Amino acid sequence: MKKKVLVIGAARSGLAVARLLHKHGYQVILTDMGTVKEKEELLKGGIAVFDQGHPECLLHTDYAFVVKNPGIKYTVPIVRYFVEHEIAIYTEIEIAYRYANGFRYGAITGTNGKTTITTMLYEMLKKKGQAIVAGNIGYPLSELALRYEDEVKDVALELSNFQLLGIEQFAPTVSVVCNLAPDHLDYMPSVESYYASKMRIYENCKEDAWFLRNLDDPIVMEYAKNIPCKVIDFSLTRKDCPLHRTNGKVYFEDVVLFEEKSLALKGDYNLSNAMIAACMAYRLGVSCEDIQTVIAQFQPVEHRMEYIGEKRGVKFYNDSKATNTHAVEAALHCFDKNIILLAGGHDKGISFQELSAYDKRIKLCIAFGETKDQFVNVFSHVETRETMQAALTTAIEKASEGDVILLSPACSSYDQFPNYEVRGKLFKEMVQAYLDEEDI
């Protein structure tokens, strides 16, 4: 008799893992609180579907294991039931890993910079060939496992702590926790549990795998313990470690990975990201020549300090991906003064007070959304609006030559938008419409 598995959540990753498990002989049951538009197709293919709620009958079945969408909290009743009954709960990353035996992983987690590092690594791996990008960026890993299961692939894999909570065997070839700062306190029981969950990225690694450890991040150094694989320490400020910068060059041991001046992205924050991507690519067999080509050509990823344009001496930047204070700090470091900051959104339970250190750079903060009132005591000059759209309109009205209007919310978008991409896209569309207006 086929073993049964329950997949909770019918988003793209849920559909992919359901199909992958069905292919490998499991009796798959898929459930979702919403309507599953692919229901008829799935039923015809032999996958049972329960949508518009989780019926009681799902609880009274013996499952080999459960797979849940990483965004679904463990406190949701159906998930809590399986936690309490000690049924193994995985995410689709773990399932894909078990079947795609030819995949080699460069796995990236941390609080900020993950997408930039992952994208840069992917561009480097493409130079070598047989590269794919997955996880929190690109495609669900299970979807790619379904497509390329029997092939050899180098995978640039961005991982959230939500995804890492659901692994058991997953072991990357090279991995990093790029940095740590408080985040996702609306999901995790404590900031300590959030930090600890990130360290799962290396817990199954063998001795010949690499873990890149950030000596410049005290929280990473506090939590990165009992590492079972080779540790590659890196730093922007120290030279007594394998991965470092010296005299304008980035070295891994005695190998020059790239020259600092060739990096198209500016700032130490991006230099650190580039160091990580280059070292990971080197471990996965990319030549230094190909690494250097990507370094010189790489541009910012969408929604991360993305320059939109300038009008009447006012510059506009979209940093919608900055969903915590640590990311906003990186953005504020790029400008010395005259920042009109648009911030606010869904309340994740984190404090914004540390941003007050940048008060002299902030000409005006226009706060919006669920958290708008929390910024009043952070900066000297704050106005509040209900929506981002209204905040941008006010910013344009109040801006003068030499100002920078920066959307860097410090919050997730879920109070008013389905994700940060939609928020950033709308911001760009509104700014572009303003830029295209003819001056009267």
Side-chain angles (χ1 to χ4, degrees), residues 52-69:
Q52 301 184 59
H54 308 306
E56 182 77 12
C57 65
L58 295 178
L59 305 181
H60 306 299
T61 303
D62 290 329
Y63 299 110
F65 52 84
V66 171
V67 182
K68 78 170 188 69
N69 183 291

Side-chain angles (χ1 to χ4, degrees), residues 244-300:
H244 63 275
R245 64 172 171 178
T246 301
N247 298 327
K249 296 179 180 179
V250 171
Y251 287 84
F252 171 66
E253 296 178 339
D254 59 349
V255 176
V256 177
L257 294 178
F258 63 91
E259 293 189 6
E260 190 173 344
K261 66 181 181 182
S262 68
L263 179 63
L265 306 181
K266 302 305 178 186
D268 278 356
Y269 180 78
N270 282 314
L271 178 62
S272 179
N273 291 339
M275 287 173 65
I276 294 167
C279 189
M280 297 182 87
Y282 184 80
R283 174 63 178 85
L284 291 168
V286 180
S287 70
C288 289
E289 182 180 0
D290 285 340
I291 288 170
Q292 290 158 15
T293 297
V294 172
I295 289 292
Q297 297 175 348
F298 190 82
Q299 296 299 317

Side-chain angles (χ1 to χ4, degrees), residues 152-364:
V152 174
K153 295 286 185 183
D154 288 322
V155 186
L157 183 65
E158 179 182 326
L159 294 172
S160 68
N161 73 302
F162 307 150
Q163 291 165 317
L164 288 167
L165 286 169
I167 65 168
E168 184 178 78
Q169 300 174 19
F170 173 75
T173 302
V174 56
S175 63
V176 68
V177 179
C178 52
N179 51 59
L180 287 173
D183 202 359
H184 298 304
L185 298 186
D186 55 337
Y187 186 108
M188 301 297 293
S190 66
V191 69
E192 292 79 13
S193 64
Y194 166 67
Y195 294 153
S197 67
K198 292 289 191 179
M199 301 306 152
R200 301 200 71 194
I201 198 167
Y202 57 69
E203 66 178 17
N204 301 316
C205 289
K206 303 297 187 288
E207 290 183 5
D208 61 343
W210 287 9
F211 174 70
L212 278 56
R213 184 171 62 176
N214 187 352
L215 297 182
D216 298 334
D217 192 307
I219 303 176
V220 169
M221 294 303 294
E222 179 183 352
Y223 280 84
K225 307 289 186 182
N226 303 316
I227 302 167
C229 58
K230 183 175 182 178
V231 177
I232 306 296
D233 285 332
F234 69 93
S235 173
L236 289 175
T237 60
R238 294 169 54 172
K239 299 177 183 178
D240 59 340
C241 53
L243 183 58
H244 63 275
R245 64 172 171 178
T246 301
N247 298 327
K249 296 179 180 179
V250 171
Y251 287 84
F252 171 66
E253 296 178 339
D254 59 349
V255 176
V256 177
L257 294 178
F258 63 91
E259 293 189 6
E260 190 173 344
K261 66 181 181 182
S262 68
L263 179 63
L265 306 181
K266 302 305 178 186
D268 278 356
Y269 180 78
N270 282 314
L271 178 62
S272 179
N273 291 339
M275 287 173 65
I276 294 167
C279 189
M280 297 182 87
Y282 184 80
R283 174 63 178 85
L284 291 168
V286 180
S287 70
C288 289
E289 182 180 0
D290 285 340
I291 288 170
Q292 290 158 15
T293 297
V294 172
I295 289 292
Q297 297 175 348
F298 190 82
Q299 296 299 317
V301 298
E302 190 176 15
H303 309 301
R304 190 70 186 98
M305 282 307 295
E306 181 184 10
Y307 176 66
I308 306 171
E310 179 178 349
K311 186 171 184 177
R312 298 176 187 146
V314 178
K315 295 180 179 179
F316 294 81
Y317 288 85
N318 166 35
D319 195 35
S320 182
K321 200 174 189 306
T323 58
N324 55 62
T325 55
H326 193 255
V328 176
E329 286 186 80
L332 297 180
H333 269 294
C334 296
F335 310 104
D336 294 329
K337 59 183 179 178
N338 293 347
I339 302 171
I340 299 180
L341 175 66
L342 276 57
H346 172 63
D347 190 350
K348 296 197 290 184
I350 60 176
S351 170
F352 307 117
Q353 202 57 47
E354 63 194 80
L355 295 177
S356 62
Y358 300 87
D359 188 48
K360 291 183 179 179
R361 304 185 188 205
I362 306 297
K363 177 178 179 180
L364 175 64

